[in-house]
Amino acid sequence: MSQTIGRTRLAYSRAWHHVSLASPSTPSLGRLASRIAILLMGKHKPIWDPSTDCGDYVVATGCNDVLVTGRKKEQKMYYKRTTRPGAMKSLNMESMIRKWGGGEVLKRAVRGMLPKNRLRDKRLDRLKVFEGEGHPYKTNLMRFEGKIRQVEPEVKTEVLKQMSS
């Protein structure tokens, strides 16, 4: 029996998911980051394997409204190190949002929840973050504003028209 049952090109195709942080039902930063990490890894697919990269794309909009609980905006620290002694820099979350935006905070949270291996940077590249609600990937999304959107290539429709006539 073949070991590649179900591992077709269609099974490995990447879908685009949209996450809006501006909606009132958005969970806090950690819970949201863990859900995004599962989508980026592809663990929601039945063909998931730790050594293969079968995850989807995620577009996160409204990252300036990232929700954190407690006093994390003032107390959570982010560190940047160099090879020089005494050159460690630190920023709290509030100043990082002011300087780099909420998308950087979300990316760092998701990065910490992905497995530490060679695929982490490739998976993180599929996370697209935007501060506002607008983004250039609207045509790629399968689900946008709660509606299922199916985009068929124009080549197929032209071939079907030629076959029917």
Side-chain angles (χ1 to χ4, degrees), residues 12-165:
Y12 280 102
S13 65
R14 300 189 193 280
W16 287 72
H17 301 276
H18 179 250
V19 176
S20 176
L21 277 71
S23 67
S25 63
T26 303
S28 62
L29 177 65
R31 293 175 189 270
L32 180 67
S34 65
R35 291 178 189 173
I36 290 174
I38 287 172
L39 291 173
L40 291 174
M41 286 186 284
K43 286 184 101 172
H44 62 289
K45 295 183 177 182
I47 60 158
W48 180 76
D49 182 49
S51 62
T52 59
D53 192 14
C54 60
D56 294 338
Y57 287 90
V58 177
V59 178
T61 58
C63 291
N64 50 359
D65 298 327
V66 66
L67 175 68
V68 291
T69 58
R71 296 181 57 201
K72 290 188 188 86
K73 282 198 177 179
E74 298 90 25
Q75 293 178 347
K76 171 108 176 103
M77 300 298 284
Y78 293 97
Y79 299 101
K80 183 171 64 170
R81 298 168 184 86
T82 64
T83 57
R84 313 289 259 155
M88 186 170 75
K89 310 275 186 191
S90 62
L91 282 172
N92 62 357
M93 185 184 288
E94 191 174 26
S95 60
M96 177 168 278
I97 290 173
R98 240 187 350 260
K99 187 173 183 179
W100 299 105
E104 182 65 25
V105 172
L106 181 65
K107 272 194 166 188
R108 287 194 184 202
V110 171
R111 182 180 173 87
M113 294 190 184
L114 289 173
K116 283 68 175 175
N117 57 19
R118 294 180 183 180
L119 296 174
R120 178 163 69 166
D121 290 333
K122 291 179 185 176
R123 288 171 174 162
L124 200 60
D125 286 342
R126 289 197 304 270
L127 174 62
K128 314 293 183 188
V129 293
F130 298 97
E131 298 299 316
E133 287 298 318
H135 59 87
Y137 301 108
K138 290 182 181 177
T139 57
N140 296 351
L141 296 175
M142 291 179 63
R143 292 187 179 270
F144 187 69
E145 298 176 352
K147 299 175 187 173
I148 296 175
R149 184 174 184 164
Q150 296 179 358
V151 179
E152 293 183 4
E154 296 178 70
V155 177
K156 287 185 179 178
T157 56
E158 290 176 9
V159 170
L160 291 173
K161 287 179 186 176
Q162 289 176 358
M163 290 175 65
S164 64
S165 59

